[in-house]
Amino acid sequence: MFHQKIKKFMIHTLILIPLLFMAFCSVFPLIYLLSNTFMGTAEISRYYGEIANGNAVFHIIPDKISLSGYYAVFLERPDYLMKFWNSLTISVLIVAGQMLVSCMAGYAFAKFRFPFRNSLFFLYIVFMMLPFIVTLVPNEMVIRKLGLIDTTAALVLPGVFAPFGAFLMRQVIAGVSDAMIDAGRLDGASQIRVLFQIVLPQCKSGIASVALLTFIDSWNMVEQPLVFLKSSQKYPLSVFLNAVSYQRLDLAFVCGVLVIIPVLLLYFFFKEELVQGIEYMGLH
């Protein structure tokens, strides 16, 4: 019995050590980023001044705690927070539109019978697997034809009609009982009422997953704003962060924290829904 416990302990230890190492490797960049936000401009310049030449010094513990970077981002210069609100506005609009389109499209693919349904859904999957850079030029041509270049709509519309949400909601809604839908129809409920009052209340985890993943994708966009927007004042924080990294590295660290805050908050509040919803991707 004692030998079995030792053997079991050693097996668990051998499994735990690499898992802890991988967890540390995942968390360390965040710790490094947060630590560097408490360094002053002079300290950042001393250790990272020659980063372009590859001569930067690894430095994680501040010599002296300084909040100058936070003061500059939140109080001294409003343009950083303006880019944050630009990102938030774009992401929220895309999530709202994507939820409406994906729920309706997912319901149609899962519960309706119409010609070429499977072929059309296969095209959705194909477009979902394509790198977005492949569709960037066609999207730019359409947006330019519509006269939407240098507008928020140029970023929102392609995100609203992205195929991933429809694919995931189709997987989720396919698991809803047909008997409940038929009962609603027999009671005289319209298709819209059936969708919003019977189907979607049973798909909360899938809806949360689509919302979270769509928000993360739109929050991190870089190439699309560079192509569709001409005015730098309309750039989201993700684009602006790349530019400020070459100008003020101390501010780049703080802006990096600003970028990850919304995503971390969403993950902490909706972690279970996200995991449950992603499980649907392998079903049906």
Side-chain angles (χ1 to χ4, degrees):
M1 182 66 67
F2 179 74
H3 292 291
Q4 291 180 349
K5 290 183 179 180
I6 293 296
K7 183 178 179 181
K8 187 176 181 180
F9 174 77
M10 292 181 64
I11 292 175
H12 287 172
T13 303
L14 290 175
I15 295 175
L16 186 61
I17 289 176
L19 291 178
L20 289 174
F21 176 75
M22 288 186 289
F24 174 77
C25 291
S26 300
V27 175
F28 180 76
L30 297 180
I31 298 174
Y32 185 74
L33 173 67
L34 185 61
S35 175
N36 279 266
T37 61
F38 296 104
M39 299 180 189
T41 304
E43 186 175 355
I44 292 289
S45 301
R46 183 165 63 253
Y47 289 103
Y48 301 104
E50 298 185 9
I51 191 172
N53 300 324
N55 297 324
V57 178
F58 177 79
H59 184 59
I60 188 172
I61 301 177
D63 296 335
K64 181 180 179 182
I65 300 296
S66 174
L67 298 178
S68 60
Y70 288 97
Y71 176 81
V73 170
F74 288 97
L75 298 175
E76 187 178 30
R77 297 185 58 180
D79 45 340
Y80 301 111
L81 286 180
M82 287 177 59
K83 299 299 184 293
F84 174 85
W85 291 114
N86 287 347
S87 292
L88 192 61
T89 300
I90 293 168
S91 299
V92 169
L93 290 175
I94 291 177
V95 169
Q98 173 68 209
M99 293 309 305
L100 179 63
V101 171
S102 61
C103 288
M104 297 181 71
Y107 179 51
F109 280 123
K111 299 301 181 181
F112 283 75
R113 301 292 182 269
F114 53 87
F116 308 109
R117 183 189 68 162
N118 293 333
S119 299
L120 184 59
F121 187 68
F122 175 76
L123 288 178
Y124 263 75
I125 298 176
V126 171
F127 280 111
M128 184 181 68
M129 296 176 64
L130 288 175
F132 79 90
I133 198 70
V134 174
T135 60
L136 190 61
V137 173
N139 282 338
E140 193 273 342
M141 295 173 64
V142 173
I143 289 171
R144 185 175 297 278
K145 197 70 174 179
L146 294 174
L148 297 178
I149 290 293
D150 200 30
T151 65
T152 302
L155 301 177
V156 172
L157 289 179
V160 165
F161 294 99
F164 172 76
F167 165 77
L168 182 56
M169 288 308 300
R170 184 264 180 192
Q171 306 296 86
V172 177
I173 295 175
V176 177
S177 172
D178 292 335
M180 297 185 66
I181 296 176
D182 293 337
R185 291 171 179 169
L186 289 175
D187 288 340
S190 64
Q191 294 291 356
I192 296 296
R193 188 177 176 185
V194 169
L195 173 62
F196 285 96
Q197 295 187 2
I198 297 177
V199 176
L200 294 186
Q202 303 180 57
C203 304
K204 293 180 180 179
S205 60
I207 293 173
S209 298
V210 173
L212 285 171
L213 296 173
T214 301
F215 182 89
I216 293 171
D217 185 57
S218 57
W219 184 259
N220 295 324
M221 67 168 61
V222 175
E223 289 84 358
Q224 299 95 316
L226 292 175
V227 174
F228 300 150
L229 300 181
K230 304 303 179 184
S231 175
S232 60
Q233 287 79 12
K234 298 178 181 179
Y235 281 166
L237 187 59
S238 53
V239 175
F240 198 64
L241 181 62
N242 182 58
V244 77
S245 299
Y246 295 98
Q247 302 169 8
R248 293 280 305 274
L249 194 57
D250 56 330
L251 301 185
F253 286 128
V254 179
C255 288
V257 173
L258 197 62
V259 165
I260 65 176
I261 286 176
V263 177
L264 287 179
L265 290 177
L266 288 174
Y267 175 76
F268 286 134
F269 282 106
F270 300 101
K271 177 172 60 177
E272 293 183 3
E273 289 81 357
L274 177 61
V275 174
Q276 293 174 5
I278 291 178
E279 290 177 355
Y280 284 105
M281 294 177 63
L283 302 178
H284 309 293

